[in-house]
Amino acid sequence: GQQAKILGYRQFSSLGVVLAPGRFVEQPISSENFRLPDGNISWHLQRLGPPNTAGYPKVQASKTDLNSFSRNWADHSCLLYQKYTIAAGNRLYPQLTSYIPPNGGKPWGSSIPTGHQPTFYDQRAPWRAAETWQSLDMFVEGPCTIAFFASVRQSAGRYSVAASPLVFPNGLSDEEQFMGNFGGGESPSPIYWRVGGALILEQ
């Protein structure tokens, strides 16, 4: 029966490409509607009932889980999985050879009516913008868990990019310049590198 106020949220995503073993370059995505040709990111602000109720994910931790990689559910920032395989001798999730997300790739819970779309694909609350901390100002009544999910369709990193010089005329976004500089040809093309979100709540 207690109320909390979701004051705001913020989003982060970036592009990256490996140049050589142990060497990569990364470019934050700042254009609101940018997406890769063969991938996308969807965002979901969700309400989940109390633990052990219908619709709440079951905790199914594995001995091989990491703080940033957990089976089915975690109550902190984490990549969730249902099943995966990884080459022998490796342990880090960027080295996966197969991946199945939990819940069929759908976020747990139900969407919160916010005046926003229940599912949205643009970057509405940039990570570095101070005003995003006051962008929602909405009340929720407990008991419940509020979660901010991102569902990522990762790029294969093998699409064609037109060769471009390192100096660009005005009009191309930072992301397009990055793709022109570091993608195409025989080299791997950029993929989604990091994706994250944050909420600020007041009780």
Side-chain angles (χ1 to χ4, degrees):
Q2 292 184 332
Q3 279 194 335
K5 182 191 287 187
I6 306 176
L7 298 177
Y9 67 127
R10 57 181 180 166
Q11 302 162 268
F12 179 83
S13 57
S14 68
L15 302 172
V17 65
V18 176
L19 299 180
R23 175 76 174 107
F24 68 90
V25 288
E26 182 179 12
Q27 170 68 50
I29 296 174
S30 56
S31 301
E32 293 87 347
N33 295 310
F34 175 84
R35 54 163 291 187
L36 288 173
D38 59 343
N40 64 49
I41 304 171
S42 62
W43 304 88
H44 315 262
L45 184 57
Q46 301 285 106
R47 175 192 179 110
L48 293 76
N52 302 317
T53 60
Y56 197 92
K58 294 180 180 179
V59 177
Q60 297 177 328
S62 166
K63 291 186 291 185
T64 59
D65 282 355
L66 306 170
N67 285 339
S68 57
F69 186 59
S70 182
R71 184 164 64 182
N72 210 42
W73 173 250
D75 58 3
H76 55 272
S77 297
C78 194
L79 173 61
L80 303 178
Y81 73 89
Q82 180 179 328
K83 292 181 180 179
Y84 73 93
T85 56
I86 194 167
N90 293 329
R91 213 175 151 232
L92 299 176
Y93 57 80
Q95 300 164 319
L96 297 179
T97 54
S98 71
Y99 169 80
I100 299 175
N103 201 32
K106 300 175 184 177
W108 299 109
S110 57
S111 60
I112 301 174
T114 63
H116 291 47
Q117 300 176 59
T119 296
F120 57 99
Y121 299 90
D122 52 333
Q123 197 150 283
R124 302 178 176 185
W127 191 262
R128 295 181 181 274
E131 65 272 14
T132 61
W133 282 135
Q134 305 293 330
S135 57
L136 289 180
D137 198 29
M138 55 175 289
F139 287 96
V140 291
E141 184 175 302
C144 64
T145 295
I146 303 300
F148 189 32
F149 292 97
S151 181
V152 181
R153 179 175 180 177
Q154 182 59 281
S155 167
R158 289 293 177 184
Y159 48 87
S160 61
V161 177
S164 302
L166 294 181
V167 177
F168 290 84
N170 292 333
L172 282 180
S173 68
D174 293 341
E175 296 84 5
E176 295 294 345
Q177 293 183 48
F178 182 84
M179 291 169 66
N181 284 337
F182 297 107
E186 298 299 320
S187 302
S189 303
I191 61 173
Y192 289 118
W193 200 254
R194 283 192 276 187
V195 176
L199 293 173
I200 183 169
L201 296 93
E202 179 180 81
Q203 278 189 301

